Amino acid sequence: MAGQGFDIDVNNRSVSVRLDVSGHAPRARFYACVFFIAIGALAICALLFLPGKHGSPSMWHDLSSSPVDSGGFIVPLILLLSFPVLMSLLLWRYLVSAYPSDETFHCDGSTVTISKVRWLDIHNKHWDTRSYALADIAKIRYQAIARAKGGSIYGLRFKAGGRRQRVLPGLKPREADKILKALKAFGADVPDDPALSRKVAEDASCLSL
């Protein structure tokens, strides 16, 4: 994940959290995007030029030797074009969570306001903001918000505005526990979470060693 830090301010009037990525790694998203595009290009080249199993011809052979209106051309072309689309759909959530943009989370006791820099805005100038009444937010939990073969990225998940919301990727258990306790004190729907309590205790025991 990109270098990042959370600034958390909790008091009896509000909860404010800022995910500051640009201050630690301002070009992380750009480099990550370039890296994954390069990996995708290599994967497409491998799919296109490497021979199939048991010495069967490569996809490039089928495309170059078949008429454009034949199944030998159309089927490989569809597979080739669908591959990057499928990979993008599968990896997009993990990519934007592993290399997030700047984000703020603020609760004044009655309203939760979330602002986030658009992921493709590498200059960190355009923020999208959405607000929800605290009473309309259901089941705020500390859970995995993105998964891939290499592991999971945790943050806060809740339901609001008819959709499942995922915020503050990379949040640590102790940070999440502090935020959730404050939100619960404001009357938010924060279910008891024994798993989070265990993680906090484990982190505390590791720090004491």
Side-chain angles (χ1 to χ4, degrees):
M1 288 183 63
Q4 60 192 59
F6 288 94
D7 295 322
I8 302 173
D9 179 30
V10 173
N11 55 57
N12 59 0
R13 297 187 304 274
S14 65
V15 177
S16 296
V17 185
R18 180 180 177 89
L19 169 56
D20 181 19
V21 181
S22 59
H24 294 77
R27 297 186 180 275
R29 279 173 289 149
F30 173 74
Y31 293 140
C33 196
V34 171
F35 174 76
F36 279 95
I37 288 174
I39 292 297
L42 287 174
I44 291 174
C45 288
L47 181 67
L48 186 60
F49 295 110
L50 290 180
K53 292 182 179 180
H54 311 298
S56 58
S58 66
M59 187 178 292
W60 174 252
H61 176 271
D62 293 337
L63 289 170
S64 60
S65 61
S66 302
V68 294
D69 58 350
S70 67
F73 181 90
I74 295 174
V75 173
L77 182 62
I78 291 174
L79 292 175
L80 186 64
L81 295 177
S82 62
F83 177 77
V85 175
L86 178 61
M87 293 304 297
S88 297
L89 292 174
L90 291 175
L91 294 176
W92 177 253
R93 182 178 294 171
Y94 187 86
L95 179 61
V96 299
S97 297
Y99 300 91
S101 57
D102 289 5
E103 184 175 0
T104 63
F105 178 98
H106 179 79
C107 176
D108 61 5
S110 61
T111 303
V112 170
T113 301
I114 302 162
S115 296
K116 188 173 184 178
V117 172
R118 296 174 186 176
W119 196 80
L120 294 176
D121 176 19
I122 62 174
H123 299 294
N124 300 300
K125 292 182 178 180
H126 298 93
W127 291 73
D128 292 325
T129 300
R130 58 193 191 275
S131 297
Y132 308 100
L134 188 62
D136 295 336
I137 297 177
K139 296 181 179 179
I140 309 176
R141 297 177 181 270
Y142 178 67
Q143 291 182 326
I145 60 175
R147 289 184 173 90
K149 190 174 182 180
S152 299
I153 297 172
Y154 282 78
L156 297 186
R157 292 181 60 175
F158 55 89
K159 189 172 183 180
R163 297 179 58 188
R164 181 67 64 181
Q165 308 290 334
R166 299 171 174 84
V167 299
L168 305 179
L171 201 64
K172 304 302 183 190
R174 285 195 305 160
E175 297 169 330
D177 187 57
K178 181 179 181 180
I179 295 167
L180 291 175
K181 284 180 178 178
L183 292 175
K184 192 169 186 177
F186 288 143
D189 181 13
V190 180
D192 292 335
D193 190 351
L196 175 58
S197 299
R198 286 195 299 270
K199 291 176 181 177
V200 173
E202 289 171 0
D203 284 355
S205 63
C206 290
L207 290 174
S208 63
L209 294 177

